[in-house]
Amino acid sequence: MAPFTFTAILFFSLLQLTSGALTIATGQTLVSETQVFELGFFRPGNSTKTFLGIWYKAIPATVVWVANRNNPISNSQRVVFTVSANGTLLISRDGAAIWSANPSAAASRPSVRLLETGNLVVVDEAIEGCGYLWQSFDFPTDTWLSGMKLVDDRDTGVSTNLTSWRNWDDPSPGDFVAKIENDGLPEMVVYRGTRKRLRTGKWNGLSFSGLPRFRSSVSKAELVFKEDRLISLAMPYESSIIIRARLDLSGSVYHYVMNPGRDKWNPVYPFPRDQCDEYGHCGPNGLCTIEKSQSCECFRGFVPKFPNQWELQDWSGGCLRISALSCESGDGFVEVRGVKSPDLLSYWLNTTMTLDQCKDECLKNCSCSACANPYITNGGSGCLMWFGDLLDTRDLPAANGFQNIYIRVPLSQLDSTSNLEKKKAPISLILISIATGVIVTTFINRALLLLTRWKKRALKRNNEDIELPLIKMTTIVQATNNFSHENVLGVGGFGPVYKGNLSAGEEIAVKRLSKSSRQGLEEFKNEVVLIAKLQHRNLVRLLGCCIEGEEMMLIYEYLENKSLDRFVFDPDRRKLLTWPKRFDIIMGITRGMLYLHHDSRLKIIHRDLKTSNILLDASLNPKISDFGLARTFEEDQSISRTRRVIGTYGYMAPEYAFHGKFSVKSDIYSLGVVLLEIISGKKNSGFQYNDHHSLLGHAWVLWKEKRIMEVMDHCLKGTCDETQVKRCIHVGLLCVQKLAEDRPIMPSVALMLATEGRILPDPEEPGFFMEGSCRRSNLQSCATSPPSMNATLTITDLEAR
Ligand SMILES: *[C@@H]1O[C@H](CO)[C@@H](O)[C@H](O)[C@H]1NC(C)=O
Ligand SMILES: *[C@@H]1O[C@H](CO)[C@@H](O)[C@H](O)[C@H]1NC(C)=O
Ligand SMILES: *[C@@H]1O[C@H](CO)[C@@H](O)[C@H](O)[C@H]1NC(C)=O
Ligand SMILES: *[C@@H]1O[C@H](CO)[C@@H](O)[C@H](O)[C@H]1NC(C)=O
Ligand SMILES: *[C@@H]1O[C@H](CO)[C@@H](O)[C@H](O)[C@H]1NC(C)=O
């Protein structure tokens, strides 16, 4: 059913609105470049009021955003939508404002665009590429589009929600609000006024405990955490699939996909799915079990509070304990497997304790009624204790990860049920497994993995046992979906990297080493064992390797925020990296490099340090990847000249690029480039600005002109600490000096970055190995550097002379 009708007749459409030049009146629209979205004035349903909104051009009845939902226009004559000279968006009649939106900063050349994602943005053409001054995605109405983030970020003060329409012809805010909630453990909650209506269940490291299929069904949801807080949740934008989610008038959230014929919506994922998703459906201490004829039951050790009502299927009264907890004289636990865990009404959380410690702690506190591991990855971790009633628990037997909870009961109750419980659990599990057919493979695989781990073949070196799990090829093939194209995370100098999901839920990154020019098996193993010994919190952890036939693969931990370049160079994501965060990242990289060069026994030279080789964990902590790999390609480490240059244009020190001479000082050069890229938000290679052909050249000129702060990313203006920024740029310039002997070593770099008020030496001119600098350096190798060199291209086969 199409609940909206349109009164506006569309005369013509525009692609962009520039201040002063044009306005949109009723009857005119702005369309996105791909013709998917359209912005204009409309009247919903039988309403006599006019609103400015965005809808799908192919299905105009589907309005996804309303600007003036609180400021309806009764008479649409002479009403126009404009952007003023300072970037303010305005709906006005005869100069009188009806609605306005102020950009975050005054713009000098504002322009308004409707992006292909359906995001209406104000950009300043004077500082292109530095994000948006205002975007409708920051002010969602009732619809969540792919590419839009729901945010709850204390640090920036940004918090967004979806608010339902009041009525089918009235877009003003209705009763229902959907938002991220971050008390203790994050989840999504739909409220009706102040009362909860739906919740997804807490994030358990793998999914929301009440929406186990969340990740796969809503395509690849992107979650960003900061110190265990979920600060944003998004469906990444994909142009090939038109998807939206809407909080409807009844407070339900529906996901829809547009059919290929582009004339209708197919609902793909309703929430609530059934009555068990309704908040507190079974009352306190009740368990909702949709698969049984009676949908509510009491936990073991509990009985219905109002048995008569319970008989009549009125579950609201919930359940009571049969006998009170004994506290002093001892209680035990009943395990309930595969549930959406109870709401955290009154709770205690510790993220590091084990389950046994948690149970002990729970038994110590008389008001503790249940406990569980809040995180189910890696076998479970942390301690969550509930006090008082357990509300809104449902069973989810076919979950791909199990959230189990442990309900505390007096020993008397335990005796009568525990044996039963213990025997029953595995049997019911197997039954479920057979029924779904999915979990069976999960268990077989987990068993296989455990077996391989258990049978770890110890690879020996220096009379020391270093154990590195050998992982079977079949496991890797399955985890990466047979090295499917879709799983490729990136292609590095040593071969492609795939994302893998072990069926036990663990995520991994698989580096499949290219076959060409590789050393023998024994040497490879030895090297891998050496790399595995390098452990530092700013280095990516090597979990195992796989050697079968021709194939050699390294298995690493998977880091969910992928690589730093995805943030630093992205107009949108870069805003997540405030100056304090960037400084943390710089210090983390420095500590990692200090360890590689000096503190580890091996003294590793990285040889391919670059921004895309810095990975970020869930809290945006940096971890260096690909270290030590260059060694596996070398015959003799005592010679610091190599036939083969392994590195990336833009990051390579001149002596390394031209003469194949590598040393810790060539790594320092790369580090300097990375520092300057992090601070400026610009790539060294491919950088073009006022005749400078590289970021280094640009920074050098600004240094000489004493305008060095101008190197800094515009987006950092609000958060930067000027002396810290200056110091970092200064150290960056010291690192990229032309002569290797002038560059500092890692301990000095760390000291210079960390100590305030230190007098730093003046840098000499940077060494360039960039396209534009060939004239200057006048070196033969310039010929081998194609002018169109891609900034991220990694070269392994450049023969140095
Ligand atoms: C909207 O208007 C149509 C035609 O006048 C009428 O049939 C319909 O009942 C109205 N709907 C509502 C909800 O008032
Ligand atoms: C921008 O201009 C509008 C009208 O042109 C004015 O109302 C508003 O105050 C201005 N905003 C700023 C930040 O100067
Ligand atoms: C939802 O967002 C709107 C608009 O930003 C805000 O006014 C409202 O207070 C928010 N509601 C809740 C419950 O957070
Ligand atoms: C969590 O528990 C561990 C182990 O008992 C303890 O060392 C740590 O201090 C606790 N953390 C918090 C925040 O209570
Ligand atoms: C039990 O835990 C609650 C919540 O942390 C706390 O307020 C209470 O003091 C604890 N009781 C005991 C006996 O430790």
Side-chain angles (χ1 to χ4, degrees):
M1 189 194 76
F4 308 114
T5 52
F6 274 74
T7 49
I9 305 157
L10 311 178
F11 295 127
F12 61 89
S13 299
L14 309 164
L15 273 175
Q16 183 169 327
L17 197 60
T18 318
S19 97
L22 287 163
T23 55
I24 287 185
T26 46
Q28 299 166 351
T29 62
L30 185 68
V31 291
S32 64
E33 207 164 330
T34 47
Q35 303 286 317
V36 173
F37 291 98
E38 187 163 35
L39 172 137
F41 289 99
F42 72 102
R43 284 212 292 257
N46 286 354
S47 174
T48 55
K49 306 282 199 297
T50 299
F51 298 87
L52 179 77
I54 298 172
W55 56 83
Y56 289 91
K57 198 160 185 281
I59 309 180
T62 311
V63 173
V64 297
W65 184 73
V66 183
N68 56 321
R69 68 189 303 193
N70 286 312
N71 313 77
I73 303 162
S74 317
N75 169 3
S76 64
Q77 278 184 3
R78 298 189 313 282
V79 169
V80 290
F81 174 58
T82 49
V83 53
S84 66
N86 59 19
T88 301
L89 294 179
L90 207 60
I91 300 175
S92 60
R93 181 193 296 112
D94 304 335
I98 295 170
W99 173 89
S100 69
N102 289 318
S104 56
S108 49
R109 275 197 287 139
S111 121
V112 175
R113 292 173 203 165
L114 181 57
L115 304 185
E116 57 175 4
T117 52
N119 193 5
L120 181 72
V121 301
V122 179
V123 294
D124 188 347
E125 288 181 339
I127 48 166
E128 273 283 11
C130 196
Y132 310 126
L133 296 174
W134 182 93
Q135 56 177 336
S136 61
F137 273 13
D138 286 343
F139 305 92
T141 52
D142 67 340
T143 300
W144 190 19
L145 297 173
S146 46
M148 176 193 283
K149 291 176 185 140
L150 284 182
V151 179
D152 176 35
D153 190 349
R154 267 196 309 220
D155 293 354
T156 58
V158 177
S159 160
T160 54
N161 63 48
L162 300 180
T163 306
S164 64
W165 284 28
R166 175 144 301 284
N167 215 322
W168 67 281
D169 60 358
D170 179 4
S172 69
D175 290 344
F176 297 99
V177 173
K179 58 178 189 173
I180 296 175
E181 191 142 282
N182 259 314
D183 313 341
L185 296 163
E187 68 178 331
M188 294 290 301
V189 181
V190 175
Y191 280 92
R192 169 172 216 156
T194 54
R195 289 180 51 187
K196 281 185 192 172
R197 147 144 173 77
L198 295 170
R199 60 183 195 103
T200 59
K202 301 294 174 182
W203 183 255
N204 59 24
L206 203 59
S207 60
F208 292 108
S209 79
L211 287 184
R213 286 168 55 244
F214 178 75
R215 267 209 154 149
S216 50
S217 66
V218 189
S219 71
K220 299 159 191 139
E222 226 174 50
L223 294 96
V224 179
F225 289 86
K226 193 191 276 178
E227 282 139 22
D228 290 339
R229 283 175 65 88
L230 175 62
I231 60 165
S232 92
L233 179 62
M235 301 181 272
Y237 175 71
E238 269 179 62
S239 56
S240 56
I241 166 169
I242 298 181
I243 186 166
R244 70 184 167 103
R246 173 166 179 253
L247 177 64
D248 73 7
L249 296 176
S250 66
S252 302
V253 181
Y254 280 92
H255 279 89
Y256 300 90
V257 173
M258 198 185 278
N259 70 345
R262 300 233 164 150
D263 53 5
K264 106 176 196 285
W265 293 104
N266 296 321
V268 284
Y269 197 75
F271 187 61
R273 291 156 291 186
D274 52 47
Q275 59 203 23
C276 283
D277 278 338
E278 305 280 344
Y279 185 76
H281 182 68
C282 293
N285 308 309
L287 175 66
C288 198
T289 51
I290 197 71
E291 264 137 53
K292 302 199 177 152
S293 55
Q294 178 158 315
S295 70
C296 292
E297 51 186 74
C298 294
F299 290 124
R300 252 168 233 281
F302 292 78
V303 288
K305 186 170 180 185
F306 305 111
N308 295 342
Q309 292 177 9
W310 200 260
E311 284 294 312
L312 297 171
Q313 311 230 331
D314 173 357
W315 319 111
S316 57
C319 310
L320 291 172
R321 285 189 183 275
I322 297 171
S323 42
L325 292 171
S326 32
C327 286
E328 304 301 316
S329 53
D331 295 313
F333 292 97
V334 171
E335 182 182 56
V336 184
R337 283 174 159 265
V339 292
K340 165 181 173 181
S341 50
D343 197 7
L344 303 188
L345 300 177
S346 172
Y347 69 98
W348 182 85
L349 173 70
N350 176 310
T351 53
T352 56
M353 284 161 71
T354 64
L355 186 58
D356 286 338
Q357 287 172 331
C358 188
K359 286 179 173 172
D360 286 350
E361 203 59 37
C362 178
L363 290 177
K364 280 187 211 153
N365 187 323
C366 219
S367 35
C368 175
S369 48
C371 66
N373 278 144
Y375 305 109
I376 63 169
T377 44
N378 301 321
S381 61
C383 178
L384 183 54
M385 297 193 321
W386 284 266
F387 302 115
D389 286 334
L390 304 170
L391 192 64
D392 197 37
T393 318
R394 71 168 294 169
D395 77 343
L396 285 167
N400 54 12
F402 280 99
Q403 176 75 60
N404 302 337
I405 58 169
Y406 300 85
I407 312 250
R408 182 177 177 187
V409 295
L411 284 179
S412 59
Q413 292 299 316
L414 200 60
D415 289 341
S416 61
T417 56
S418 67
N419 287 340
L420 186 67
E421 191 69 25
K422 267 186 196 139
K423 285 201 195 100
K424 217 183 123 201
I427 295 170
S428 62
L429 254 180
I430 290 163
L431 286 179
I432 292 159
S433 305
I434 291 167
T436 63
V438 175
I439 299 173
V440 177
T441 44
T442 303
F443 276 89
I444 291 173
N445 264 296
R446 179 179 276 211
L448 274 178
L449 183 67
L450 289 178
L451 204 63
T452 17
R453 284 200 178 160
W454 181 65
K455 279 168 63 185
K456 277 176 208 167
R457 280 167 44 191
L459 302 172
K460 292 189 176 181
R461 172 132 178 169
N462 300 341
N463 297 328
E464 241 179 290
D465 274 356
I466 306 294
E467 288 184 307
L468 183 70
L470 278 175
I471 296 170
K472 286 189 90 63
M473 185 70 178
T474 48
T475 311
I476 304 290
V477 165
Q478 192 170 19
T480 58
N481 204 0
N482 198 12
F483 300 104
S484 126
H485 201 66
E486 291 185 348
N487 286 36
V488 174
L489 288 171
V491 181
F494 307 97
V497 185
Y498 297 85
K499 178 171 182 197
N501 276 308
L502 296 181
S503 35
E506 230 175 314
E507 293 177 316
I508 53 171
V510 178
K511 185 175 276 283
R512 193 179 196 182
L513 299 177
S514 46
K515 287 173 190 152
S516 60
S517 72
R518 229 171 15 194
Q519 53 186 190
L521 192 62
E522 274 316 302
E523 292 93 329
F524 174 73
K525 282 185 188 169
N526 289 336
E527 287 300 338
V528 168
V529 167
L530 285 178
I531 299 170
K533 276 189 199 169
L534 299 172
Q535 297 215 347
H536 186 273
R537 72 192 152 105
N538 296 111
L539 299 184
V540 174
R541 207 153 50 91
L542 182 63
L543 303 174
C545 66
C546 171
I547 307 172
E548 261 175 52
E550 283 274 272
E551 293 280 0
M552 296 182 183
M553 282 174 269
L554 296 173
I555 321 303
Y556 290 97
E557 65 179 321
Y558 173 73
L559 294 170
E560 56 185 274
N561 276 316
K562 308 204 180 78
S563 52
L564 180 57
D565 61 324
R566 277 176 76 244
F567 284 81
V568 169
F569 304 133
D570 182 279
D572 217 18
R573 272 192 284 257
R574 76 202 309 171
K575 283 184 285 183
L576 287 174
L577 299 185
T578 56
W579 173 252
K581 193 69 227 170
R582 288 195 210 197
F583 187 66
D584 280 353
I585 290 173
I586 289 173
M587 291 312 286
I589 299 167
T590 306
R591 282 190 295 268
M593 288 304 293
L594 183 61
Y595 173 85
L596 284 179
H597 280 184
H598 295 270
D599 298 340
S600 77
R601 275 179 308 164
L602 297 170
K603 303 213 184 310
I604 294 275
I605 298 172
H606 190 299
R607 294 177 55 185
D608 195 15
L609 184 67
K610 54 184 168 181
T611 306
S612 59
N613 263 341
I614 313 290
L615 307 188
L616 297 174
D617 73 4
S619 316
L620 301 178
N621 295 313
K623 287 172 188 260
I624 300 169
S625 74
D626 267 10
F627 52 86
L629 273 188
R631 290 171 59 105
T632 67
F633 284 77
E634 285 304 315
E635 301 88 38
D636 186 348
Q637 286 297 303
S638 63
I639 301 173
S640 64
R641 271 183 77 119
T642 173
R643 282 190 299 110
R644 222 158 248 300
V645 173
I646 295 165
T648 306
Y649 286 112
Y651 297 92
M652 273 192 283
E655 76 277 5
Y656 180 34
F658 296 145
H659 310 295
K661 250 174 93 173
F662 71 88
S663 65
V664 289
K665 293 297 186 74
S666 46
D667 268 3
I668 298 283
Y669 180 94
S670 312
L671 176 70
V673 176
V674 171
L675 289 192
L676 292 171
E677 288 189 338
I678 293 174
I679 298 162
S680 65
K682 300 197 176 64
K683 287 183 182 156
N684 184 31
S685 159
F687 178 91
Q688 280 282 344
Y689 187 82
N690 290 356
D691 282 348
H692 306 315
H693 291 282
S694 71
L695 174 60
L696 299 191
H698 176 57
W700 177 243
V701 168
L702 290 176
W703 168 267
K704 284 191 299 187
E705 293 175 359
K706 304 208 181 317
R707 303 188 299 158
I708 197 63
M709 277 306 280
E710 290 174 35
V711 169
M712 187 183 75
D713 190 344
H714 294 298
C715 309
L716 290 174
K717 269 191 191 123
T719 60
C720 77
D721 166 341
E722 195 164 316
T723 56
Q724 219 172 38
V725 172
K726 272 192 179 138
R727 199 165 64 237
C728 290
I729 299 173
H730 193 153
V731 173
L733 284 171
L734 288 171
C735 291
V736 296
Q737 293 176 97
K738 190 188 292 175
L739 297 178
E741 54 268 33
D742 288 345
R743 295 175 210 146
I745 52 173
M746 271 322 295
S748 329
V749 172
L751 204 63
M752 289 190 289
L753 286 174
T755 342
E756 261 170 65
R758 224 182 141 84
I759 311 264
L760 307 181
D762 279 349
E764 298 292 331
E765 190 177 2
F768 299 99
F769 173 55
M770 301 296 306
E771 304 119 47
S773 61
C774 289
R775 271 168 283 118
R776 199 173 333 184
S777 42
N778 192 25
L779 278 162
Q780 236 182 338
S781 308
C782 279
T784 66
S785 152
S788 64
M789 192 56 68
N790 183 318
T792 56
L793 184 69
T794 295
I795 49 168
T796 50
D797 279 358
L798 180 73
E799 295 292 334
R801 287 140 228 262

